[in-house]
Amino acid sequence: MRRISRRIAGAILIAAATALGSVTVAAARAPVDPTTLNPPPPDFFNATCEQVGHGIVCDLAFSDPAIVEEPGGMVCDGTELLVSQTRSVVGKRFYDAQGDLLRRHFREDYAGTLLDPTTGNVLSWVAHDTVIHDLAVAGDIATGRTSFTGQAFRVFVPGGGTVFTDAGRVIVDEATGEILATKGPHRLDDYFVRGDPDAIHAICDALG
């Protein structure tokens, strides 16, 4: 379920970002081969990279293959719900002058359904969040902290109202996966991380 909005699935390098942003306006840009960077953006990111001042910035945009009715880890009355989803991403990667990654900053948009295979009842869901990962060691993607901010998961009756919301901000240690800080209702973490089966009772009730 981590595929669902990163949990069903930060702190920005402010000084670096500010300096980089001010240079972006004035400095001439030179193209950079993404494969020369550490780590390089995956091919399917469709990255376009440029030398900007004393750093390198890559713009990216991609969509994941659709997921259709796969087990999602949420269980209602002994039945595991089936999840469908689409995910699209736009964002940037920031590298230093040596081509080592410093920061990932992107926005995710999800949409999908939750299906009870026993009854055939369906709920819709959407998610929109901003993800900022600041690396503690340049070029080492398994270091640093990542913040997830926004509407992580909203479930609603098709053509009707909202029955479940997970939103706010979560900060995660990339090296350990530990949740360092959280703000807002995060019922998915309550369910998947803390093991509280009642955290998704509103979803189960809505599916009948």
Side-chain angles (χ1 to χ4, degrees):
M1 291 298 290
R2 284 280 170 180
R3 288 175 298 187
I4 298 182
S5 197
R6 296 282 175 169
R7 289 182 298 285
I8 294 195
I12 301 174
L13 293 175
I14 297 175
T18 301
L20 187 57
S22 64
V23 171
T24 300
V25 176
R29 295 170 178 254
V32 174
D33 182 352
T35 65
T36 64
L37 302 176
N38 175 41
D43 290 343
F44 67 89
F45 278 18
N46 304 311
T48 301
C49 304
E50 296 178 309
Q51 186 82 38
V52 180
H54 298 293
I56 297 166
V57 179
C58 296
D59 291 300
L60 58 93
F62 64 93
S63 296
D64 289 341
I67 294 170
V68 179
E69 296 183 1
E70 291 190 6
M74 290 189 288
V75 177
C76 294
D77 296 326
T79 299
E80 185 171 11
L81 305 183
L82 301 182
V83 175
S84 297
Q85 78 169 48
T86 59
R87 172 179 178 250
S88 60
V89 177
V90 294
K92 294 179 182 292
R93 282 188 168 204
F94 297 87
Y95 294 80
D96 62 19
Q98 288 70 47
D100 293 322
L101 183 63
L102 298 175
R103 178 164 60 106
R104 301 186 298 153
H105 185 178
F106 56 93
R107 178 172 174 80
E108 305 173 299
D109 290 290
Y110 295 80
T113 59
L114 299 174
L115 167 67
D116 184 328
T118 300
T119 65
N121 293 335
V122 177
L123 294 173
S124 298
W125 66 271
V126 294
H128 314 283
D129 66 354
T130 297
V131 181
I132 299 174
H133 174 200
D134 296 318
L135 283 67
V137 178
D140 187 349
I141 206 166
T143 67
R145 298 180 175 186
T146 299
S147 70
F148 303 88
T149 307
Q151 178 180 276
F153 198 57
R154 181 174 74 87
V155 182
F156 56 96
V157 177
T162 298
V163 300
F164 179 95
T165 300
D166 185 297
R169 186 184 188 203
V170 175
I171 300 177
V172 177
D173 185 321
E174 284 294 331
T176 65
E178 178 186 0
I179 296 176
L180 302 175
T182 181
K183 183 177 182 181
H186 293 293
R187 297 181 179 91
L188 296 182
D189 284 337
D190 291 339
Y191 183 80
F192 287 103
V193 179
R194 302 177 186 95
D196 180 5
D198 292 331
I200 62 167
H201 74 85
I203 293 174
C204 297
D205 291 348
L207 285 170

